[in-house]
Amino acid sequence: IACLAASYLVAQAQNPAPAAADKTANLPVKIGLVDMAKIFKEYEKFSRLREGLQQEMNGLQEEAKTVKAAAQKVADQMKQLNPDSAEYRALEEKLAKMTTEFDTKMQLKRRDMARREAEIFETVYLEASDVVKKYAEYYKFTIVIRFNSEGMDSDNPQKIANTLNKMIVYHRPQDDITDPVIEYLNRQYLNKNGAPEKVTNKA
């Protein structure tokens, strides 16, 4: 019996049971295309988040103008004084402190905004990728390739060069899933956050 059991185990090791069949193994290849640049351009969430950052930057630029005007006023006062006077030295210290503090504030703010902008790009990319995945699985696309859907512009040499360098030379309109992805993203986002004050039809 022991010999038979040993023989059976050896046979099993040499001829393992077939693995569970992959349900997608026999699916026909179906390739989809998606223009990620267009998604970033037309996804309402991306636009609003970028606009928020731009408003902060505009506010910072206005503050810079105010500080510059104040610094110029101090500099003009210094011109009327004797460089050896105590009042001159006090204004000199005030001017140095004013400009140093604001320069430091600007550097920190720009660094923070660059970090937040990178987070916006990452968030939108991950959200778009998730919707692409859901769409592809539902409509049985086996692979989705990123591409540029912009046409050739004879007045723009750079766009002509970009068109000539496209990997995708031909595709069927139904293989481009960009617009349905944008529509889904915007619908989900606007349902949660409300429509913008000025709605433009991007479809």
Side-chain angles (χ1 to χ4, degrees):
I1 295 175
C3 292
L4 289 175
S7 299
Y8 175 78
L9 292 175
V10 170
Q12 287 293 95
Q14 293 176 344
N15 300 285
D22 184 354
K23 295 181 180 180
T24 63
N26 296 322
L27 287 178
V29 174
K30 185 178 180 183
I31 298 175
L33 304 173
V34 65
D35 188 339
M36 293 299 288
K38 185 177 180 181
I39 291 176
F40 274 85
K41 183 178 179 181
E42 298 188 12
Y43 184 15
E44 192 67 40
K45 179 176 182 178
F46 182 71
S47 300
R48 289 195 192 183
L49 293 177
R50 291 290 302 281
E51 286 171 4
L53 281 183
Q54 186 59 52
Q55 288 176 1
E56 287 189 42
M57 178 56 71
N58 292 341
L60 202 59
Q61 290 173 346
E62 289 300 318
E63 186 179 351
K65 292 179 182 178
T66 301
V67 172
K68 183 178 180 180
Q72 185 60 52
K73 186 176 181 179
V74 173
D76 291 340
Q77 292 175 350
M78 292 171 62
K79 292 178 182 178
Q80 309 301 320
L81 301 172
N82 185 336
D84 295 328
S85 66
E87 188 177 359
Y88 181 94
R89 289 194 295 272
L91 288 175
E92 189 176 40
E93 290 179 5
K94 178 180 179 181
L95 181 60
K97 183 179 179 181
M98 182 187 305
T99 55
T100 300
E101 287 181 350
F102 185 72
D103 286 345
T104 301
K105 179 180 179 180
M106 284 287 287
Q107 290 177 6
L108 293 175
K109 189 65 176 178
R110 283 176 176 150
R111 188 180 306 166
D112 176 64
M113 293 183 72
R115 176 187 58 78
R116 288 162 59 193
E117 185 175 43
E119 290 176 352
I120 290 172
F121 273 90
E122 179 184 18
T123 298
V124 171
Y125 180 82
L126 291 175
E127 289 181 6
S129 297
D130 182 61
V131 175
V132 169
K133 179 176 181 292
K134 290 177 179 177
Y135 190 96
E137 290 177 346
Y138 185 84
Y139 288 101
K140 302 298 186 294
F141 284 92
T142 51
I143 185 172
V144 177
I145 299 174
R146 180 174 178 172
F147 85 125
N148 180 359
S149 63
E150 282 192 346
M152 185 179 293
D153 184 351
S154 59
D155 296 326
N156 189 325
Q158 184 59 50
K159 282 193 175 181
I160 293 175
N162 292 339
T163 301
L164 295 176
N165 289 324
K166 284 182 178 180
M167 287 183 60
I168 308 300
V169 178
Y170 167 79
H171 71 279
R172 300 177 305 167
Q174 60 266 38
D175 294 332
D176 182 359
I177 69 172
T178 306
D179 287 342
V181 169
I182 294 173
E183 181 182 351
Y184 181 90
L185 285 167
N186 280 332
R187 184 170 64 251
Q188 293 295 311
Y189 177 70
L190 295 176
N191 282 344
K192 293 180 181 178
N193 298 275
E197 294 181 2
K198 295 181 180 180
V199 180
T200 57
N201 185 8
K202 297 178 180 178

